[in-house]
Structure formats: C-alpha cells, structure tokens
Amino acid sequence: MVRVVSAPSPAILPAPVSVRRGAGRPVRLSGAVRIVAPRSLGSEARWLRRILEEGTGWRVEVVDPGDADGRAPTGSAVVLEVAAALRRQSRGRVAGGYRLEVRDGHVRVAGDGPAGVFYGLQTFRQLLPDATLRRASVTTGSGGRPAGAGPVVLEPLVVEDRPRFSWRGAHLDVSRHFMPKTFLLKLVDLLAFHKCNVLHLHLTDDQGWRLPVDRHPLLVEVGAWRRQSSTGHRRERRFDGVPHGGYYTKDDLRELVAFAAERHVTVVPEVDMPGHVVAALAAYPVLGNTHRRLEVGTRWGVYSQVLNLEERTLEFCADIVDELCDLFPSPFVHLGGDECPTTEWARSPKARALMATEGLASVRQLQGWFTKRVAAHVTARGRRVVGWDEILEGPVPDDAVVMSWRGVKGGVEAALAGHDVVMAPEEWLYFDWAYRDDPAEPLAIRGSTPVEKVYSFDPVPPEVPEDRRHHVLGAQCQLWTEYVPTSDRAEYQYFPRLCALAERIWSPSQGASVGDDGVAAYEAFEPRLARHLRRLAALDVNYRPLDGPTPGQSRKWR
Ligand code: TNX
C-alpha cells in the first residue's frame, strides 16, 4: 500500500511559520533509506535512524556527505545540514530555525544549527503516517513477518520555521508524588516532539526529597519516604495509610540529562529553599529553627517550618548546589523561593540577632538575605539563578530569571526592572488544575483551565514595553502533583493542554492574548489538534479527549 501524504496541509503542530507546496518530483521512501549527514550532526542522524527503523521496519543507513565524493546522493535520502545562510539569519534571534524541503527524491532538512535540524526532523516525522510513530512496524507481511511500513510518498513541500521564544518548557513536581524515571524519559520525548526545550524538575519539597547528595545521605535515606499521603480533597483531612516515596540515583539523573541533551532539551533542576523543606528537616533537624524532630510531610499545603539562617545551614545549601551543578549542566539553577512563612524566624532569637547585625528592617527581608547568599554560590559556579516571583521581594542578582506564577504581574515587574522572565501564571499554565468544573473530571486541586484558555495565553503581556520584550524568555506549564498520583494521570493533565501551549511559544504571535482574536485562532487550531491526537495515541499518551474524559479516566461512570 502506498500512502500519499498530501501537501500543503499536513496539520503540523506547532504550526510552522510557513508551509507551501513545493516544486519537482515527490519523494518515495521505502525499504531502504539513507540519511546523509556530516559528522557534526551525528547525534541527530543517529536519533533519526533509531526512530525510523523502529517505526517503519526499514533499513536505514547513515552516510557522511564526504563519502559520496561530493556527488548528490542517489536513491531516496534524508539530507541533514547546517546552512550558513540560516545560521546568519538566526544571529541575535532565537536559535532553532530550519527549512525542510521535499523535492526530487530527497527530504532536505537544513538548520541554523543542530537544534534547528532536530526541529526540522520533528516536522518530518509529522509528515509520515501516524503508525510510524510506534515502537515497531505494525504492517505485517506474509506469514506474519513484519514487512516494514509500505512505501510512503511525500508530495513536494517547503516548510520554513523558527521558534518565537527560547524557553519552551514544562515543569514537573516529582516531590509530591514520585514519578518513575521511564516517565521522565517519555516526557522528554514528548516535549521534543512538540519542539519544547526545557524540563523543569521540581526535585524537593515538604513531602519528599528526590535528589541524592553524597555529603548528606540522609536527605534521601530519610527524606525520600513519607508514612502516608493525604487522600481526597485536602480539606477532608483523610489519609491513605500507604507509605510513598522514592528517589533518583545520580546515574538515573545523568541518564536523564544525556537523553534530554540528545533531544535538545535542557533539564533545569529545582531545589526549593528556604521554605518547602520539611523533608530535609526530617532528615537533618539541625537545619530547622527549633531542632524538633519532624516527619516527612503527609498533608498538602504550606508548612510553617523553614530553614534556619545559621552559617552551617548556608554551607549545607552550598553543598547541595555544588552536587546539583556537577549533575546538571543546565545554565540555570532554580532555587525555588516560593511560599516561605516567617513565623519561625520572628520567634527565633538567632534570626532576630541576624536582622540586627545585617541591619534588616523586617523579618520578611531575611528571605532576600538568604537567597542572596545562596545565589552568590550559584553565580560562582557559573550558573544563573531562577526563582519563583517571590524572590523579587529581595535583592536578586541582575542575571537572575524570575518565574512569574502569581499571574503575569511579577513577570511584568521583573522585565521592567531588567530581569529575564519565564511566564508560568497559574490561571493559564497550572496544569494541575482541572480541565473543566465537572464532576466527571478526576479530582484536581482546583479548576478550571480548558485547552482553549491555554491557547489564549500570550507570553508577552501588553504592559511590557517594546524595548523590554526581549526579557520575556518564554513560558512553561507547571504540573504540581499533590492530586496527580501517577504518571498516567500526569499525561492526562498535560495533554492536550501542552499541545496548545507548545504552539503559543513556538509559532508566530497571533495578536491579542484574550478576546475575539483568541477565539478565532482557537477555532483554526482545534481541527489540527484533533488530527494531532491520533499521533499522541500512536505514542501511547493518556491524553484527555476533547469531549471529556473516557470512563477509565473519569471519576464518574457516564
Ligand atoms: C503553589 S507555585 C506552589 C506549590 C503548589 C501549587 C499548587 C509555587 C511556586 N508554589 O507548592 O504545589 O501552588 O497548585
């Protein structure tokens, strides 16, 4: 069977800058395909070979253009290259642009660099039949032997594309519920499929510590496990009586980082401090203000217990930062900084003495003092600090990145003050919220954020003047997991909202953020999304159907 993919409407998601019908003859891909790539694109070529061989059963060979002695490759080929012209065009702009051309037997993917080539290949994947997204070929030959996907014919096509923002991300909280490493790898693959490039891992919180630190082994030995978890809604104060936890080994995290790097995804690690630290205090009570023994948190919400501000606690934090920097090559290190109550410091003679010696007028300023000290250590390690928008209440290094979660106002304020900003406002981008206010939806922290609403979000608020726009690096969704106990549920919460966000952060702006324009844009997006869901099905994603949860996903039999 020959499958013809018609141009020029292949429903690519996120939408490219331009897609048009090309010239020349179509391309026929079948049994044997060559990938022509210079050694500098070896990682992209090998990745393509792996997924093509898996999904099609074809034999795929990677050759160096030099091996062809400068002659154009014969037979059908996928040709990868970094184009000097694209590289020049990208100077001073967001990197990741590419040009994909289907013509005369070849698919040519030219990028402004390796990442651009990789994104071109992600588009190429979306031109192929959905079945090729699977892990093995589903076309069986005679006698039940896999015959590989039949020939695929691609009509001549030209796609020109580049990302709008440099920070295109998703956050995942692995503290409230531990998520297996295999899920993190799957999520990285899915992010890359949607041309996103940041996985923000929230590794520590009151209810579990997931990051191994050799110098302080009890952080995971004690801090990774809790006696039980809150069940039902928080206000019901019910518990399940079932121990929960887990942590990643250093090799698990190295594997994740390397896997992500092959897919042009940066893993940005977060260690939350000086609040959200009950799991650390359970392991090392001396870090606390009362030295009282605590158990790892079992209920959700904000705890009053926070780190003390003694010199040895700062050294402890520096140790964590050191080991974190050794594991994660990310240029960004997230120090949390959200929701830090000051009740313990107000009662602590040591904290009050510190206020006096440092000349601080209020206990609130102690958090800024703390963050400044730890941030200096991050900066000394050559990394940039990221923090939730609360860090704006204190002194922050000039190059610190602010994550605007309490609406967009923190982001606007930060951009005006000259800081780089990542937009993460809860009203649009907290994917722990329900899709709809409907008893059929699984239990969620609150609601509701339908796909249309996510699609209406524009990362640059109108209050940011033209000359400050470059400070908006991009946006990301957050998945806090108090009410998300499994990776299956995580997939449900992310997809398809993440598809909508991916388009808003990759594709050119469509004008107004909310209002009529937004509605019109969503109407154009929805059919493409519906088509895209079949790709997610082939990729085994537990997405939420557009018309509501399936009986298995629902809280209610319908
Ligand atoms: C606020 S957002 C938090 C998290 C919770 C989340 C629940 C932020 C920086 N802190 O600790 O999990 O709300 O939606």
Side-chain angles (χ1 to χ4, degrees):
M1 185 185 53
V2 176
R3 270 161 295 186
V4 180
V5 176
S6 64
S9 56
I12 300 163
L13 191 156
V17 171
S18 86
V19 181
R20 60 176 194 275
R21 197 178 292 276
R25 283 175 294 107
V27 174
R28 185 184 156 96
L29 299 170
S30 60
V33 175
R34 287 200 299 156
I35 299 172
V36 182
R39 205 154 302 145
S40 59
L41 294 173
S43 164
E44 290 69 29
R46 281 192 303 276
W47 171 82
L48 178 65
R49 179 174 61 193
R50 273 199 308 274
I51 57 149
L52 272 186
E53 287 195 334
E54 270 186 14
T56 64
W58 300 338
R59 265 184 314 102
V60 182
E61 186 193 9
V62 179
V63 298
D64 194 279
D67 296 350
D69 286 336
R71 276 179 289 116
T74 51
S76 60
V78 184
V79 183
L80 318 188
E81 63 186 16
V82 171
L86 290 178
R87 192 184 273 286
R88 268 195 306 278
Q89 274 172 31
S90 280
R91 234 171 253 151
R93 299 165 84 176
V94 178
Y98 68 89
R99 181 174 191 280
L100 180 156
E101 186 170 24
V102 175
R103 174 182 189 150
D104 298 336
H106 297 331
V107 177
R108 283 185 187 279
V109 179
D112 60 6
V117 171
F118 182 75
Y119 295 129
L121 294 177
Q122 291 290 2
T123 294
F124 170 56
R125 270 177 111 183
Q126 294 197 2
L127 300 179
L128 300 176
D130 298 343
T132 62
L133 296 169
R134 294 178 182 272
R135 302 294 296 275
S137 168
V138 293
T139 319
T140 43
S142 57
R145 276 179 295 109
V152 172
V153 174
L154 301 179
E155 295 291 338
L157 182 77
V158 180
V159 179
E160 280 171 308
D161 204 6
R162 57 169 49 258
R164 182 172 168 211
F165 293 103
S166 65
W167 190 298
R168 305 180 300 275
H171 149 289
L172 177 64
D173 166 12
V174 291
S175 168
R176 273 56 176 273
H177 280 100
F178 180 68
M179 298 285 164
K181 183 201 70 191
T182 48
F183 174 64
L184 304 186
L185 302 182
K186 183 177 181 183
L187 182 58
V188 165
D189 259 334
L190 288 167
L191 288 173
F193 188 61
H194 292 85
K195 301 188 174 81
C196 290
N197 63 355
V198 173
L199 172 62
H200 166 185
L201 260 196
H202 182 80
L203 285 161
T204 69
D205 214 300
D206 301 304
Q207 298 86 356
W209 187 281
R210 315 288 173 218
L211 171 78
V213 178
D214 296 337
R215 268 170 287 180
H216 307 293
L218 298 184
L219 284 172
V220 289
E221 281 169 32
V222 173
W225 305 98
R226 63 174 178 258
R227 191 159 51 90
Q228 58 180 359
S229 307
S230 181
T231 183
H233 216 282
R234 189 178 140 201
R235 54 184 172 262
E236 298 168 41
R237 294 174 174 276
R238 279 194 288 131
F239 294 89
D240 62 5
V242 182
H244 175 87
Y247 61 91
Y248 306 106
T249 65
K250 287 201 162 177
D251 274 350
D252 288 339
L253 295 171
R254 291 184 186 109
E255 179 187 357
L256 172 66
V257 166
F259 185 91
E262 280 174 10
R263 288 150 184 81
H264 297 277
V265 171
T266 302
V267 183
V268 175
E270 176 185 355
V271 174
D272 208 343
M273 52 178 85
H276 286 282
V277 289
V278 170
L281 298 180
Y284 295 102
V286 293
L287 301 174
N289 290 280
T290 64
H291 295 194
R292 199 159 56 83
R293 280 224 153 266
L294 293 169
E295 64 167 9
V296 175
T298 57
R299 63 168 177 85
W300 314 131
V302 179
Y303 286 72
S304 60
Q305 291 90 355
V306 302
L307 293 179
N308 68 39
L309 302 168
E310 294 163 31
E311 220 37 53
R312 65 176 170 186
T313 299
L314 285 151
E315 277 163 29
F316 193 98
C317 294
D319 290 345
I320 295 170
V321 168
D322 281 336
E323 294 196 29
L324 198 70
C325 288
D326 291 343
L327 276 175
F328 294 90
S330 160
F332 305 96
V333 167
H334 202 308
L335 295 178
D338 56 314
E339 301 176 323
C340 180
T342 52
T343 37
E344 284 196 339
W345 294 337
R347 282 197 210 115
S348 153
K350 283 186 183 161
R352 303 194 69 89
L354 180 70
M355 273 175 64
T357 48
E358 295 293 321
L360 304 177
S362 75
V363 263
R364 261 265 67 103
Q365 291 177 339
L366 284 168
Q367 186 181 343
W369 177 88
F370 169 88
T371 305
K372 189 174 168 191
R373 287 284 305 271
V374 184
H377 194 73
V378 171
T379 307
R381 290 286 316 240
R383 313 297 176 93
R384 291 176 68 182
V385 170
V386 187
W388 298 107
D389 57 41
E390 283 92 334
I391 67 165
L392 279 174
E393 291 159 22
V396 270
D398 290 342
D399 71 347
V401 178
V402 174
M403 247 174 210
S404 189
W405 74 277
R406 296 174 298 179
V408 296
K409 100 188 153 326
V412 173
E413 202 184 301
L416 291 174
H419 288 294
D420 283 348
V421 170
V422 173
M423 289 296 180
E426 43 181 356
E427 210 186 316
W428 291 272
L429 300 183
Y430 268 35
F431 290 179
D432 55 337
W433 291 24
Y435 281 82
R436 296 213 172 269
D437 184 11
D438 180 338
E441 288 295 333
L443 181 69
I445 189 161
R446 50 194 286 201
S448 52
T449 309
V451 184
E452 302 86 289
K453 177 145 184 189
V454 175
Y455 198 73
S456 78
F457 179 70
D458 193 276
V460 183
E463 302 90 315
V464 178
E466 191 63 47
D467 66 335
R468 296 283 159 160
R469 298 235 160 125
H470 62 281
H471 282 306
V472 180
L473 301 182
Q476 65 174 38
C477 57
Q478 335 314 303
L479 191 62
W480 301 101
T481 55
E482 292 97 327
Y483 295 83
V484 180
T486 64
S487 58
D488 235 35
R489 252 306 288 293
E491 290 178 15
Y492 178 91
Q493 298 298 124
Y494 280 127
F495 295 98
R497 289 188 284 208
L498 194 141
C499 309
L501 172 64
E503 184 148 308
R504 293 317 302 253
I505 49 192
W506 174 277
S507 307
S509 158
Q510 292 154 344
S513 45
V514 214
D516 292 348
D517 284 9
V519 172
Y522 183 76
E523 277 167 13
F525 172 69
E526 205 189 60
R528 219 153 21 84
L529 177 59
R531 164 72 196 78
H532 185 73
L533 293 181
R534 298 209 300 273
R535 297 183 184 125
L536 296 189
L539 291 167
D540 190 32
V541 177
N542 182 38
Y543 66 84
R544 178 191 183 277
L546 295 176
D547 60 357
T550 64
Q553 294 168 334
S554 177
R555 232 192 315 170
K556 232 179 75 182
W557 179 256
R558 290 193 299 178

